[in-house]
Structure formats: C-alpha cells, structure tokens
C-alpha cells in the first residue's frame, strides 16, 4: 500500500464537471493498493498517516499532526502508484490490486480515517478525475507499507 501525502492549503477533485470533494488546510492523499494489501496493513498505514507530524508549530518546526491543527483530508484512489516502468516506455500495472478488492480496501481506509478526522472528502474509485491543489511547502511524503510494516510501526 502506498499513500502519497501532500500537505495543502486547499485541494479539490472533480469528475464529469462535478466537484466530488474539496478541503482547506490538510492532506491530499493518493492511495495506491497492491494485490497483497490487507485490512491489517491499512490499519497500520492509517495510524501512520493520522499521526504524521508535518504541520508547523509556533516555532516553525514540523511537530504537529492533523488533529493538532484541525486538518482536513482528501483521499483519492490512485492505482498508478503501482506503475512498473522497468521495461519499455509503457507502464505495467500488474502489481496494483484488482478493482473489486482495491475498492473494498479503499472504502475501508476512508471509513477508518472518518473515525479519526472530522472532515474527510474523497474522489470516486475508478473514475477519471481532475485534481487541483495548492501544495504548502511544498511538502510531499510517500508512505509505503513495505517500509511502514517492516518496522512494525
């Protein structure tokens, strides 16, 4: 599982001309799900995401997590985080989770985050979407379950 996390001033997602989700200060998170991912992995990843301290405190240090600053979150499924570009110029996506399984796990992640964060918006699984954001920093972090779970965090 991979979460590409961007700290934003604001972000939105739309599909077919309709806004699906919009947030202010918080995280825009692209969620990539692989064929090997499970709810147990999702639990660890969500815990890491919610606890990620990349908001600045009064001294300008990145010491604050989402809850400390009342951050909002926009979650967007992104199977292309599992693009394999080792051969040729056309990426392969064979490591990405099958749509039915990935959608179920994406829904699980959205529900888990909603238990912790007041404002949770989302894209539409499998849809063609347009994402707009104002990245703050810029500050972008990749959370990869291969690293997160290996360290038993």
């Amino acid at each position: 599982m991979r979460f590409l996390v961007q700290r934003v001033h604001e972000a939105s997602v739309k599909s077919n001309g309709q806004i699906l989700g919009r947030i202010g200060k918080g995280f825009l998170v692209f969620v990539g799900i692989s064929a090997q991912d499970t709810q147990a992995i999702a639990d660890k990843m969500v815990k890491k995401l919610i606890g990620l301290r990349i908001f600045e405190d009064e001294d300008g240090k990145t010491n604050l997590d989402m809850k400390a600053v009342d951050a909002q979150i926009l979650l967007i499924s992104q199977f292309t985080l599992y693009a394999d570009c080792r051969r040729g110029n056309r990426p392969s996506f064979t490591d990405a989770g099958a749509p039915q399984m990935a959608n179920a796990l994406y829904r699980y992640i959205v529900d888990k985050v909603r238990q912790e964060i007041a404002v949770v918006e989302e894209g539409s699984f499998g849809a063609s979407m347009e994402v707009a954001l104002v990245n703050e920093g810029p500050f972008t972090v990749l959370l990869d379950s291969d690293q997160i779970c290996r360290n038993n965090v």
Side-chain angles (χ1 to χ4, degrees):
M1 186 171 298
R2 294 179 180 151
F3 291 174
L4 182 67
V5 182
Q6 297 192 39
R7 189 179 72 184
V8 298
H9 282 294
E10 62 185 58
S12 64
V13 60
K14 65 181 179 178
S15 182
N16 295 321
Q18 292 222 258
I19 293 179
L20 303 174
R22 177 180 292 173
I23 63 165
K25 179 180 181 151
F27 288 166
L28 166 62
V29 182
F30 294 103
V31 178
I33 297 171
S34 79
Q36 290 75 37
D37 287 327
T38 64
Q39 288 183 356
I41 291 171
D43 289 343
K44 290 178 183 178
M45 293 290 285
V46 167
K47 180 180 178 186
K48 180 63 81 173
L49 174 68
I50 301 300
L52 199 59
R53 298 183 330 173
I54 62 172
F55 291 100
E56 295 175 354
D57 63 16
E58 61 278 352
D59 296 324
K61 304 276 188 199
T62 52
N63 280 327
L64 302 177
D65 64 17
M66 295 188 74
K67 291 180 179 180
V69 298
D70 268 339
Q72 302 175 355
I73 192 165
L74 174 58
L75 297 164
I76 299 176
S77 65
Q78 184 81 37
F79 76 94
T80 61
L81 288 176
Y82 278 94
D84 182 349
C85 299
R86 291 177 291 182
R87 294 191 174 148
N89 293 320
R90 183 172 183 225
S92 168
F93 300 102
T94 57
D95 291 339
Q100 187 173 357
M101 178 281 278
N103 187 27
L105 203 46
Y106 172 70
R107 299 279 2 119
Y108 178 83
I109 291 164
V110 170
D111 291 343
K112 291 298 267 188
V113 173
R114 282 198 167 119
Q115 293 172 14
E116 301 288 332
I117 302 299
V119 177
V120 179
E121 297 287 326
E122 61 183 287
S124 178
F125 186 90
S128 177
M129 294 174 277
E130 297 174 22
V131 180
L133 71 140
V134 177
N135 194 311
E136 181 183 342
F139 210 119
T140 303
V141 175
L142 177 63
L143 298 179
D144 190 321
S145 62
D146 287 346
Q147 295 172 349
I148 303 299
C149 295
R150 177 179 56 212
N151 295 327
N152 287 329
V153 175

